[in-house]
Amino acid sequence: MKKTIIYFMLAFLIFNPIRTFADVAEGDMIVTLGQNLTEAQKKALLLEMGAPDDVQIVTVTNEEEHQYLGKYVSKSLIGTKAISSSAITIQPKGAGVTVETKNINWVTDEMYINALITAGVKDAKVYITAPITVSGTAALTGIIKAYEISADKTIPEEVKQAANQEMVETAKLGDSIGEENAAALIAKIKEEIAKNKPKNDQELQNIIEQAAKDLNVKLTDEEMQRLIDFFNKLKDLNIDWNQVSDQLNKAKDQISNFLKSEEGQGFLDKLKQFFNWLIDTIKSIFS
């Protein structure tokens, strides 16, 4: 499903008044490039993204990466160079958020989608890439930065921090219970919070426990407490939970639409053929 479905800002607008960002329209692309890319790498990534010649480019620095990730991951994981890059394309109203990645080996598409929805991003097609394989933790900074410019809105600092924390916490959880389970668990908890709005820690814990049970995953006491602490933090922020729920539903619809598409049907046919071959092979062994 990788196919279906990384770096911010007012100072940039003030010191780089190249165009009126409020005029960004459906179908327009904004690109973020890591500051430490070579010129050759920049050209190669722009070509890979299919960026037009006049595409608006936002530069992301390693200092920004540390600003938004320093509290949640080690300095060694962030590194000393900004190289991850992204392209965000404005989609029609109601399209939802989709993510595709290349050379990202720790943060999954679904983790990005979850975190972007928490940050308030909507109706955007996002492509995240790097010239070499990287963890992908720093990518979110650039995506949110580009989205602020494209949507002509400022996302509150604490919400940006929360989105980055969510991405990292989900990736850590993925190391324990699996990437897909971790992303699905976080999404399910957010859906339930949007619907039921827990009033205390016990109600929040009940939601987390039920979500984990539904997905047949087991959480350690430490993981449970980290999730309680994180979602308590989210509850205290000015997050539009109705929008969160709506964007999560659209993300699920896109997965369903993929399975109905020609590409998805081809994937299912190949899967079916494989299992038929496997069954025939087993039969031949015992016949």
Side-chain angles (χ1 to χ4, degrees):
M1 292 301 298
K2 276 290 202 185
K3 282 189 171 182
T4 62
I5 315 268
I6 132 176
Y7 280 130
F8 262 81
M9 200 110 156
L10 221 40
F12 185 90
L13 296 177
I14 294 171
F15 295 109
N16 296 271
I18 298 174
R19 66 184 276 192
T20 304
F21 295 109
D23 293 339
V24 174
E26 178 185 314
D28 284 353
M29 176 188 289
I30 295 181
V31 165
T32 72
L33 294 177
Q35 186 181 46
N36 300 109
L37 290 168
T38 66
E39 288 305 312
Q41 288 173 328
K42 291 177 183 178
K43 290 179 180 178
L45 289 181
L46 288 170
L47 184 63
E48 178 187 319
M49 294 171 180
D53 292 339
D54 61 345
V55 70
Q56 176 61 47
I57 297 175
V58 179
T59 299
V60 181
T61 69
N62 185 244
E63 289 76 18
E64 287 175 311
E65 296 175 12
H66 282 274
Q67 176 184 351
Y68 290 103
L69 289 161
K71 295 179 181 178
Y72 315 118
V73 295
S74 66
K75 290 183 178 180
S76 61
L77 189 59
I78 304 172
T80 59
K81 294 182 178 181
I83 59 172
S84 296
S85 302
S86 66
I88 180 167
T89 305
I90 308 307
Q91 297 296 284
K93 186 176 181 180
V97 179
T98 61
V99 172
E100 181 183 353
T101 58
K102 180 181 178 182
N103 285 340
I104 306 298
N105 66 2
W106 193 44
V107 182
T108 68
D109 299 5
E110 293 78 14
M111 293 177 192
Y112 284 121
I113 290 173
N114 267 332
L116 288 168
I117 289 173
T118 291
V121 174
K122 60 181 180 179
D123 305 329
K125 180 180 178 181
V126 180
Y127 180 71
I128 303 161
T129 186
I132 58 173
T133 301
V134 295
S135 66
T137 52
L140 192 66
T141 306
I143 301 168
I144 296 177
K145 186 173 184 176
Y147 181 77
E148 284 188 305
I149 293 172
S150 66
D152 195 28
K153 64 179 290 186
T154 301
I155 297 171
E157 191 70 14
E158 61 271 20
V159 175
K160 296 175 189 174
Q161 290 283 351
N164 278 277
Q165 182 181 356
E166 176 181 332
M167 177 187 65
V168 173
E169 290 293 342
T170 311
K172 288 179 179 177
L173 197 56
D175 292 336
S176 172
I177 66 174
E179 296 172 348
E180 292 184 0
N181 282 335
L185 179 64
I186 297 301
K188 194 169 184 62
I189 294 169
K190 287 199 290 192
E191 281 185 303
E192 290 303 315
I193 289 176
K195 286 191 290 187
N196 297 312
K197 297 179 176 56
K199 301 178 182 63
N200 51 53
D201 281 4
Q202 187 58 57
E203 290 186 3
L204 178 55
Q205 182 171 334
N206 291 342
I207 286 174
I208 298 171
E209 287 176 344
Q210 186 60 51
K213 183 179 179 180
D214 291 345
L215 293 169
N216 197 28
V217 298
K218 292 185 178 180
L219 300 173
T220 65
D221 291 343
E222 180 185 356
E223 288 167 342
M224 173 62 74
Q225 190 58 55
R226 284 211 322 256
L227 287 173
I228 290 173
D229 292 343
F230 171 69
F231 281 107
N232 268 328
K233 179 178 180 178
L234 280 193
K235 284 197 309 165
D236 293 337
L237 299 179
N238 186 26
I239 290 176
D240 185 343
W241 286 101
N242 289 327
Q243 179 175 304
V244 167
S245 180
D246 178 60
Q247 292 294 306
L248 285 171
N249 283 328
K250 286 184 172 62
K252 287 191 290 189
D253 289 342
Q254 286 149 9
I255 293 173
S256 176
N257 288 338
F258 169 77
L259 293 176
K260 295 175 184 176
S261 69
E262 183 178 344
E263 182 183 5
Q265 287 297 312
F267 167 77
L268 292 175
D269 286 342
K270 289 178 182 178
L271 194 62
K272 183 179 178 180
Q273 291 170 17
F274 168 76
F275 280 112
N276 286 337
W277 169 84
L278 185 62
I279 291 168
D280 289 341
T281 302
I282 294 171
K283 284 180 180 178
S284 67
I285 292 172
F286 291 99
S287 61

